mmCIF file of all heavy atoms in Angstrom:
data_model
loop_
_atom_site.group_PDB
_atom_site.id
_atom_site.type_symbol
_atom_site.label_atom_id
_atom_site.label_comp_id
_atom_site.label_asym_id
_atom_site.label_seq_id
_atom_site.Cartn_x
_atom_site.Cartn_y
_atom_site.Cartn_z
ATOM 1 N N ALA W 116 -7.784 5.902 23.877
ATOM 2 C CA ALA W 116 -7.387 4.492 23.746
ATOM 3 C C ALA W 116 -7.573 3.754 25.056
ATOM 4 O O ALA W 116 -8.082 2.633 25.073
ATOM 5 C CB ALA W 116 -5.939 4.418 23.303
ATOM 6 N N PHE W 117 -7.217 4.380 26.188
ATOM 7 C CA PHE W 117 -7.386 3.758 27.480
ATOM 8 C C PHE W 117 -8.863 3.507 27.786
ATOM 9 O O PHE W 117 -9.215 2.539 28.455
ATOM 10 C CB PHE W 117 -6.765 4.599 28.606
ATOM 11 C CG PHE W 117 -5.249 4.683 28.547
ATOM 12 C CD1 PHE W 117 -4.608 5.797 28.992
ATOM 13 C CD2 PHE W 117 -4.483 3.649 28.039
ATOM 14 C CE1 PHE W 117 -3.209 5.887 28.982
ATOM 15 C CE2 PHE W 117 -3.108 3.692 27.994
ATOM 16 C CZ PHE W 117 -2.456 4.830 28.457
ATOM 17 N N ASP W 118 -9.744 4.373 27.317
ATOM 18 C CA ASP W 118 -11.181 4.208 27.528
ATOM 19 C C ASP W 118 -11.743 3.093 26.637
ATOM 20 O O ASP W 118 -12.754 2.499 26.963
ATOM 21 C CB ASP W 118 -11.939 5.498 27.247
ATOM 22 C CG ASP W 118 -11.736 6.564 28.296
ATOM 23 O OD1 ASP W 118 -11.296 6.210 29.425
ATOM 24 O OD2 ASP W 118 -12.037 7.734 28.037
ATOM 25 N N LEU W 119 -11.101 2.860 25.506
ATOM 26 C CA LEU W 119 -11.648 1.969 24.505
ATOM 27 C C LEU W 119 -11.206 0.500 24.661
ATOM 28 O O LEU W 119 -11.988 -0.398 24.388
ATOM 29 C CB LEU W 119 -11.218 2.475 23.110
ATOM 30 C CG LEU W 119 -11.819 1.838 21.890
ATOM 31 C CD1 LEU W 119 -13.343 1.927 21.872
ATOM 32 C CD2 LEU W 119 -11.246 2.495 20.649
ATOM 33 N N ALA W 120 -9.958 0.274 25.078
ATOM 34 C CA ALA W 120 -9.438 -1.088 25.036
ATOM 35 C C ALA W 120 -8.556 -1.412 26.251
ATOM 36 O O ALA W 120 -7.927 -0.504 26.796
ATOM 37 C CB ALA W 120 -8.645 -1.309 23.754
ATOM 38 N N PRO W 121 -8.473 -2.680 26.625
ATOM 39 C CA PRO W 121 -7.588 -3.059 27.705
ATOM 40 C C PRO W 121 -6.116 -3.159 27.327
ATOM 41 O O PRO W 121 -5.250 -3.279 28.172
ATOM 42 C CB PRO W 121 -8.118 -4.425 28.142
ATOM 43 C CG PRO W 121 -8.768 -4.977 26.926
ATOM 44 C CD PRO W 121 -9.299 -3.801 26.171
ATOM 45 N N THR W 122 -5.830 -3.111 25.994
ATOM 46 C CA THR W 122 -4.465 -3.191 25.526
ATOM 47 C C THR W 122 -4.238 -2.107 24.504
ATOM 48 O O THR W 122 -5.013 -1.969 23.534
ATOM 49 C CB THR W 122 -4.142 -4.558 24.880
ATOM 50 O OG1 THR W 122 -4.433 -5.584 25.854
ATOM 51 C CG2 THR W 122 -2.681 -4.657 24.489
ATOM 52 N N VAL W 123 -3.187 -1.291 24.683
ATOM 53 C CA VAL W 123 -2.900 -0.156 23.810
ATOM 54 C C VAL W 123 -1.427 -0.212 23.400
ATOM 55 O O VAL W 123 -0.563 -0.277 24.246
ATOM 56 C CB VAL W 123 -3.205 1.170 24.534
ATOM 57 C CG1 VAL W 123 -2.781 2.350 23.663
ATOM 58 C CG2 VAL W 123 -4.675 1.253 24.943
ATOM 59 N N TYR W 124 -1.216 -0.182 22.092
ATOM 60 C CA TYR W 124 0.137 -0.024 21.530
ATOM 61 C C TYR W 124 0.185 1.333 20.895
ATOM 62 O O TYR W 124 -0.654 1.685 20.059
ATOM 63 C CB TYR W 124 0.393 -1.069 20.444
ATOM 64 C CG TYR W 124 0.544 -2.495 20.948
ATOM 65 C CD1 TYR W 124 -0.563 -3.298 21.159
ATOM 66 C CD2 TYR W 124 1.782 -3.019 21.245
ATOM 67 C CE1 TYR W 124 -0.426 -4.605 21.637
ATOM 68 C CE2 TYR W 124 1.934 -4.296 21.712
ATOM 69 C CZ TYR W 124 0.817 -5.090 21.900
ATOM 70 O OH TYR W 124 0.945 -6.368 22.370
ATOM 71 N N SER W 125 1.177 2.137 21.295
ATOM 72 C CA SER W 125 1.254 3.502 20.784
ATOM 73 C C SER W 125 2.685 3.856 20.417
ATOM 74 O O SER W 125 3.603 3.637 21.193
ATOM 75 C CB SER W 125 0.732 4.496 21.821
ATOM 76 O OG SER W 125 0.680 5.806 21.284
ATOM 77 N N ILE W 126 2.848 4.409 19.212
ATOM 78 C CA ILE W 126 4.169 4.914 18.790
ATOM 79 C C ILE W 126 4.224 6.375 19.175
ATOM 80 O O ILE W 126 3.391 7.171 18.762
ATOM 81 C CB ILE W 126 4.297 4.774 17.245
ATOM 82 C CG1 ILE W 126 4.151 3.306 16.837
ATOM 83 C CG2 ILE W 126 5.633 5.354 16.776
ATOM 84 C CD1 ILE W 126 3.939 3.094 15.363
ATOM 85 N N GLN W 127 5.185 6.720 20.023
ATOM 86 C CA GLN W 127 5.269 8.076 20.561
ATOM 87 C C GLN W 127 6.745 8.537 20.516
ATOM 88 O O GLN W 127 7.654 7.716 20.445
ATOM 89 C CB GLN W 127 4.863 8.081 22.032
ATOM 90 C CG GLN W 127 3.488 7.559 22.330
ATOM 91 C CD GLN W 127 2.418 8.587 22.231
ATOM 92 O OE1 GLN W 127 1.286 8.273 21.992
ATOM 93 N NE2 GLN W 127 2.723 9.835 22.433
ATOM 94 N N PRO W 128 6.967 9.829 20.608
ATOM 95 C CA PRO W 128 8.367 10.278 20.728
ATOM 96 C C PRO W 128 9.008 9.633 21.959
ATOM 97 O O PRO W 128 8.368 9.442 23.002
ATOM 98 C CB PRO W 128 8.247 11.778 20.958
ATOM 99 C CG PRO W 128 6.919 12.151 20.382
ATOM 100 C CD PRO W 128 6.030 10.940 20.606
ATOM 101 N N SER W 129 10.259 9.245 21.842
ATOM 102 C CA SER W 129 10.926 8.532 22.919
ATOM 103 C C SER W 129 10.992 9.308 24.222
ATOM 104 O O SER W 129 11.076 8.731 25.289
ATOM 105 C CB SER W 129 12.344 8.123 22.495
ATOM 106 O OG SER W 129 12.261 7.163 21.467
ATOM 107 N N GLY W 130 10.910 10.622 24.180
ATOM 108 C CA GLY W 130 11.035 11.418 25.385
ATOM 109 C C GLY W 130 9.788 11.551 26.226
ATOM 110 O O GLY W 130 9.777 12.223 27.240
ATOM 111 N N VAL W 131 8.677 10.885 25.857
ATOM 112 C CA VAL W 131 7.438 11.057 26.597
ATOM 113 C C VAL W 131 7.095 9.862 27.505
ATOM 114 O O VAL W 131 5.959 9.767 27.971
ATOM 115 C CB VAL W 131 6.235 11.391 25.667
ATOM 116 C CG1 VAL W 131 6.502 12.636 24.852
ATOM 117 C CG2 VAL W 131 5.922 10.221 24.781
ATOM 118 N N TRP W 132 8.078 9.024 27.797
ATOM 119 C CA TRP W 132 7.818 7.839 28.590
ATOM 120 C C TRP W 132 7.148 8.147 29.898
ATOM 121 O O TRP W 132 6.175 7.501 30.287
ATOM 122 C CB TRP W 132 9.141 7.087 28.830
ATOM 123 C CG TRP W 132 9.044 6.072 29.932
ATOM 124 C CD1 TRP W 132 9.768 6.077 31.086
ATOM 125 C CD2 TRP W 132 8.184 4.954 29.994
ATOM 126 N NE1 TRP W 132 9.411 4.986 31.846
ATOM 127 C CE2 TRP W 132 8.417 4.292 31.201
ATOM 128 C CE3 TRP W 132 7.194 4.417 29.139
ATOM 129 C CZ2 TRP W 132 7.750 3.126 31.601
ATOM 130 C CZ3 TRP W 132 6.505 3.277 29.550
ATOM 131 C CH2 TRP W 132 6.807 2.646 30.751
ATOM 132 N N LYS W 133 7.605 9.132 30.651
ATOM 133 C CA LYS W 133 7.030 9.456 31.965
ATOM 134 C C LYS W 133 5.565 9.854 31.849
ATOM 135 O O LYS W 133 4.734 9.490 32.703
ATOM 136 C CB LYS W 133 7.827 10.563 32.658
ATOM 137 C CG LYS W 133 9.173 10.121 33.128
ATOM 138 C CD LYS W 133 9.946 11.258 33.816
ATOM 139 C CE LYS W 133 11.319 10.814 34.205
ATOM 140 N NZ LYS W 133 12.098 11.901 34.786
ATOM 141 N N VAL W 134 5.222 10.566 30.800
ATOM 142 C CA VAL W 134 3.837 10.992 30.599
ATOM 143 C C VAL W 134 2.947 9.794 30.257
ATOM 144 O O VAL W 134 1.863 9.636 30.848
ATOM 145 C CB VAL W 134 3.721 12.050 29.465
ATOM 146 C CG1 VAL W 134 2.298 12.388 29.146
ATOM 147 C CG2 VAL W 134 4.508 13.291 29.831
ATOM 148 N N VAL W 135 3.401 8.932 29.376
ATOM 149 C CA VAL W 135 2.633 7.728 29.025
ATOM 150 C C VAL W 135 2.421 6.882 30.277
ATOM 151 O O VAL W 135 1.307 6.422 30.553
ATOM 152 C CB VAL W 135 3.361 6.937 27.936
ATOM 153 C CG1 VAL W 135 2.715 5.570 27.710
ATOM 154 C CG2 VAL W 135 3.436 7.723 26.632
ATOM 155 N N LYS W 136 3.511 6.659 31.017
ATOM 156 C CA LYS W 136 3.415 5.830 32.216
ATOM 157 C C LYS W 136 2.442 6.424 33.248
ATOM 158 O O LYS W 136 1.593 5.696 33.789
ATOM 159 C CB LYS W 136 4.813 5.710 32.820
ATOM 160 C CG LYS W 136 4.895 4.761 34.012
ATOM 161 C CD LYS W 136 6.305 4.581 34.471
ATOM 162 C CE LYS W 136 6.367 3.543 35.549
ATOM 163 N NZ LYS W 136 6.898 3.970 36.771
ATOM 164 N N ARG W 137 2.547 7.724 33.480
ATOM 165 C CA ARG W 137 1.658 8.372 34.476
ATOM 166 C C ARG W 137 0.192 8.314 34.039
ATOM 167 O O ARG W 137 -0.689 7.934 34.817
ATOM 168 C CB ARG W 137 2.082 9.817 34.687
ATOM 169 C CG ARG W 137 1.233 10.543 35.731
ATOM 170 C CD ARG W 137 1.650 12.002 35.916
ATOM 171 N NE ARG W 137 1.769 12.778 34.714
ATOM 172 C CZ ARG W 137 0.732 13.292 34.023
ATOM 173 N NH1 ARG W 137 -0.490 13.123 34.437
ATOM 174 N NH2 ARG W 137 0.929 13.977 32.929
#
Side-chain angles (χ1 to χ4, degrees):
F117 292 150
D118 287 344
L119 188 59
T122 304
V123 175
Y124 290 86
S125 186
I126 301 166
Q127 304 272 155
S129 292
V131 301
W132 165 242
K133 289 180 183 177
V134 174
V135 171
K136 185 175 186 239
R137 182 181 50 79

